[in-house]
Amino acid sequence: IGSALSGLVTDVRVRPGDRVAKGDVLFLVDARAARATLAQAEAAISEARAAIAEAQAAQKTARQQLDLYRQLDDPAAVSRAEVIRAEGDEAAATSRLGLARARLAAAQAAASTARTEIERLIVRAPISGEILAVNIRPGEFVATQGGSSQPFIQMGETTPLHVRVDIDENEVARVAIGEPAIISPRGAAEVQVKATFVRAEPLVVPKRSLTNSAAERVDVRVLQVIYALPPSDVFRVGQQIDAFIAAKPAPAGKGD
């Protein structure tokens, strides 16, 4: 889990081992500047609404005055200059009303942007799952890029646990894809559990998970197959395992 915006961490709400639901708060980034921007935008909204009310009143008065002049039966009762002045007052009030409405829209947009930024400074769980590692503390600075070589928080769904088994591309044709697998913790072959097949990844990829064996080949590509483990206290996230998958039955000979 990273942060959408850079800043100082003000609070960390979780610890390793905690279970969280999607949307729960994980940690907070300093939002004082964003809240100040929001306060300014809300003040501008109030000013713009007051300006709109004032411009609407002025526009109404100017239109009433202009309508009164235009309804007079005697053209000599009012001078042409007064009519022109009333027309100018009405046009000016209409212009001020349009400007006030534009300022209101701009202030509302600024307020919406500030609220969005405040929400982005609240880092929430993207999924339901378990907190696996917390690598930040209050007071530390988090950056959106280039600031850390590790994620701020690691989490995942651990119920059930899944294992990813690499099958050498040269062995794929011999493996019974779709069958259960027998899984043992590395170094404890006597502990065996039956894992359920979940899926085989569609893409064959270069091998990245290494066992550090001297005889291990690294210049190979592998098919990754996912299995689900039954509930157990034996396995942990990130643990290496040994997997035994049944081979396909050998084809019958022509004479059989």
Side-chain angles (χ1 to χ4, degrees), residues 130-182:
E130 181 180 353
I131 302 300
L132 303 175
V134 177
N135 301 315
I136 53 171
R137 300 291 183 271
E140 292 182 348
F141 185 84
V142 294
T144 56
Q145 58 182 0
S148 176
S149 60
Q150 60 183 356
F152 304 134
I153 289 180
Q154 291 176 277
M155 66 170 297
E157 179 51 68
T158 56
T159 307
L161 277 176
H162 290 83
V163 296
R164 185 179 297 268
V165 179
D166 289 347
I167 302 176
D168 189 313
E169 62 181 344
N170 297 323
E171 303 292 336
V172 170
R174 299 180 56 242
V175 174
I177 302 297
E179 294 297 318
I182 302 301

Side-chain angles (χ1 to χ4, degrees), residues 187-204:
E190 70 280 2
V191 179
Q192 298 183 351
V193 299
K194 187 176 182 180
T196 305
F197 173 81
V198 176
R199 71 178 186 276
E201 298 289 10
L203 185 65
V204 174

